[in-house]
Amino acid sequence: MPPFLQNLLALPAKTKGIVAVSGVAILAIAFFMLKLATAPAYSTLASGLDPSQTGKITAALDTAGIGYQLEGNGTALSVNSSQMAQARIALASGGVSLAGGSQPGFELFDKSKLGSSQFQQQVTYQRALEGQLANTIDGVQGVQNATVQLVLPQDDLFADQQSTATAAVMLGNTADTMDAGAVRGIAQLTASSVKGLKPENVTITDGTGQLLWPQGDGTATGVGGATKQATEAQFDRNLETQLNSLLATTLGPGKAQVRVNADLNVDKTTQKSLVYAKKGVPDQTSSDVEKLKGAGATAGGTAGTGSNIPTYSAGAAGANGTSNYNHSVKNTHWALNRTITSKDIAPGAINKLNVALMVDKTVPPATVTQLQKTIAAAAGVTPARGDTISSTQFAFAKPPVAKTGPVPTNLLGPLKWVGIGLGSLLFLFFVSRGMKRREGENLGTPSWLTEIEEPVSLAALEARTAVPTPDAVTQMLPPRVPDASLHQLDQLMEREPERVAAQVKAWMAQD
């Protein structure tokens, strides 16, 4: 039997129990670490999936024999990290798209059927075009799960009997999640992708059934056709995001929060102004000038009144015989100098802005006062307009402790060897502890040990006692019983082999 097993069997029952429990614990830890190291690591393949699309993806992965996990109530899918590339290839081969939309695109033509009629080909093309448009619209920021329905006219011989193409776009989100002008862009995108389709023949609605196009143009702050509440909600959310980002950069996360309540003017108006100048501009001018100059009457006289009426001639002669006549008339028509200005006022003007600032109690009051001034300047608070900003300081709730996520795959290898090393150290620690405790036990000193403290010759031992014959020894010995000293001798040989070896060497030298 190996010495290790002999020492283990010689340990007390309590020490044996400790060693057994330690061994079982080490084996359990090693098994857990080995299972963790060999467990497959999953990575997210797609998120934000439609539940109907998730079934198609899982079916394709099952066919390819690729392991996966469903997350987010069926809206997210994770696959084995080592099989990520194989999963994408399997989905592409099966004609399954990872896009959020549930409508298939032009991948419908990847599996063409022989003998299909012209009507079936036309329907397949329409379905493919609808799916491709839906997947493209899903790429617009703020749009989720778009659905497109097209009505394509049949080619007619007579142009006057040709019907027009129409399209209906259903967005899975509300209008306040999109930027200004996004609705107009979607309408233009849809119209440009279908032959013979005009933007005015495109109908766009959001998830609540609100008509977004063609009711509005989608260029103002209020997205085309959006209600006043939706426009104000979008403005509040955008401004809050900017202000909260400023607070997180200044104080750190979870120290302050801002809420904005804005009253916007979403009415599109036209303003016209008429201004008159102080001085007019000549519009029409007329002038009538008449002049007459003549000399006095001669001696013979001339025909006319002067010679027939004596008093007239006398009067003329009294005037030195000369005549001067001047007649001048001038009329000016002044026109009004005026300026007419017509201006279209786009919706989105702020009527009133209310800002609420909430700060944790751990922030000093002096800092809160400075933050209030900074937030008022960043938000554009104008007291003359009636805007208000208020700050409140109270204790914030402690954030919940984040749960430990999955162990990164690149750390599994080092953790495996660390676990094995720790298990070995624990095993050696408990074994050595049991050995030391066993060595500290008092086993007692046998009587014969005092006789071999110093080397003794065989002659001296023989002189002390006569060696009896075997028969005499047999008669003198009591019935044989197990002697505990033999066990103690064995332990002495293991504990102090040098002393025992020196005594045996002395005995052999004397022989």
Side-chain angles (χ1 to χ4, degrees):
M1 182 179 294
F4 175 76
L5 293 179
Q6 293 179 358
N7 296 334
L8 186 62
L9 295 176
L11 295 175
K14 183 178 180 180
T15 305
K16 291 180 181 178
I18 295 175
V19 173
V21 173
S22 301
V24 173
I26 292 172
L27 291 177
I29 294 174
F31 174 76
F32 174 76
M33 297 300 297
L34 182 62
K35 184 177 180 180
L36 181 64
T38 56
Y42 290 90
S43 300
T44 302
L45 178 64
S47 59
L49 298 174
D50 188 86
S52 60
Q53 190 75 359
T54 306
K56 300 178 182 179
I57 296 176
T58 55
L61 294 179
D62 289 335
T63 304
I66 299 175
Y68 60 88
Q69 285 183 348
L70 293 177
E71 301 173 354
N73 296 327
T75 59
L77 184 71
S78 299
V79 298
N80 195 337
S81 300
S82 60
Q83 297 179 327
M84 181 69 71
Q86 291 84 343
R88 295 185 182 277
I89 295 174
L91 294 178
S93 302
V96 181
S97 176
L98 293 177
S102 59
Q103 293 179 276
F106 284 113
E107 59 268 14
L108 291 174
F109 290 99
D110 295 339
K111 298 180 180 180
S112 58
K113 298 181 181 180
L114 296 176
S116 59
S117 62
Q118 183 178 1
F119 175 75
Q120 292 176 339
Q121 293 179 357
Q122 182 66 22
V123 172
T124 304
Y125 170 75
Q126 182 172 340
R127 289 181 56 201
L129 185 58
E130 291 173 350
Q132 199 69 22
L133 281 173
N135 297 333
T136 303
I137 294 174
D138 282 335
V140 179
Q141 184 177 2
V143 177
Q144 297 178 356
N145 299 331
T147 304
V148 179
Q149 301 292 336
L150 298 177
V151 177
L152 301 180
Q154 299 292 335
D155 294 335
D156 203 328
L157 179 62
F158 301 99
D160 56 349
Q161 298 179 359
Q162 184 76 25
S163 59
T164 59
T166 59
V169 181
M170 178 71 177
L171 306 179
N173 54 278
T174 56
D176 59 340
T177 61
M178 297 182 295
D179 295 335
V183 173
R184 183 182 183 88
I186 294 174
Q188 294 289 346
L189 174 66
T190 306
S192 302
S193 303
V194 181
K195 180 182 178 181
L197 181 61
K198 299 180 181 180
E200 56 267 21
N201 293 332
V202 178
T203 303
I204 302 178
T205 57
D206 62 358
T208 62
Q210 177 70 30
L211 180 63
L212 305 180
W213 184 270
Q215 179 177 345
D217 57 1
T219 59
T221 303
V223 182
T227 60
K228 176 180 174 65
Q229 292 78 7
T231 305
E232 291 176 346
Q234 182 182 9
F235 177 82
D236 295 345
R237 184 170 57 253
N238 294 338
L239 187 56
E240 287 173 0
T241 302
Q242 298 175 6
L243 297 178
N244 288 327
S245 176
L246 177 63
L247 292 175
T249 305
T250 306
L251 302 178
K255 293 294 184 180
Q257 194 70 243
V258 169
R259 287 293 181 267
V260 177
N261 184 11
D263 181 14
L264 302 180
N265 182 10
V266 297
D267 298 330
K268 185 176 181 181
T269 59
T270 301
Q271 182 180 4
K272 295 182 179 181
S273 60
L274 177 62
V275 180
Y276 292 93
K278 295 182 179 180
K279 184 179 180 181
V281 178
D283 183 25
Q284 184 178 1
T285 303
S286 62
S287 180
D288 183 8
V289 180
E290 183 178 358
K291 294 182 180 181
L292 176 64
K293 293 182 179 182
T298 61
T302 59
T305 306
S307 61
N308 295 328
I309 303 175
T311 58
Y312 184 82
S313 299
N320 297 326
T322 61
S323 177
N324 187 3
Y325 175 75
N326 187 6
H327 175 75
S328 178
V329 178
K330 186 177 182 180
N331 296 323
T332 302
H333 181 268
W334 295 89
L336 296 177
N337 186 8
R338 60 181 182 177
T339 302
I340 300 176
T341 304
S342 178
K343 180 173 61 176
D344 292 336
I345 301 177
I350 301 176
N351 296 330
K352 188 178 180 181
L353 184 64
N354 299 321
V355 181
L357 174 62
M358 298 170 289
V359 187
D360 191 13
K361 275 191 175 181
T362 57
V363 181
T367 305
V368 176
T369 304
Q370 296 177 358
L371 281 176
Q372 184 175 356
K373 296 180 181 179
T374 304
I375 294 299
V381 176
T382 306
R385 190 174 53 193
D387 299 349
T388 60
I389 180 171
S390 60
S391 60
T392 306
Q393 194 172 9
F394 50 86
F396 281 12
K398 294 183 180 180
V401 180
K403 297 182 179 180
T404 305
V407 180
T409 56
N410 55 351
L411 297 179
L412 291 179
L415 286 178
K416 177 178 66 177
W417 296 111
V418 170
I420 295 175
L422 290 177
S424 302
L425 292 176
L426 288 175
F427 178 76
L428 294 177
F429 170 75
F430 285 111
V431 171
S432 61
R433 183 179 179 183
M435 291 295 185
K436 290 182 178 180
R437 184 178 299 175
R438 178 61 178 171
E439 291 177 359
E441 293 181 358
N442 186 12
L443 301 178
T445 304
S447 59
W448 52 267
L449 182 60
T450 58
E451 299 178 359
I452 61 174
E453 289 293 337
E454 299 294 338
V456 182
S457 61
L458 292 176
L461 293 176
E462 292 175 356
R464 293 181 183 178
T465 56
V467 179
T469 61
D471 296 338
V473 171
T474 304
Q475 295 176 1
M476 295 172 59
L477 290 176
R480 186 173 182 179
V481 295
D483 192 358
S485 61
L486 295 178
H487 181 66
Q488 295 177 357
L489 179 61
D490 292 338
Q491 292 183 352
L492 178 64
M493 293 176 62
E494 294 179 358
R495 187 170 63 244
E496 298 181 1
E498 294 82 2
R499 294 175 58 187
V500 177
Q503 181 64 41
V504 174
K505 185 177 181 180
W507 290 343
M508 295 178 64
Q510 292 178 3
D511 293 341

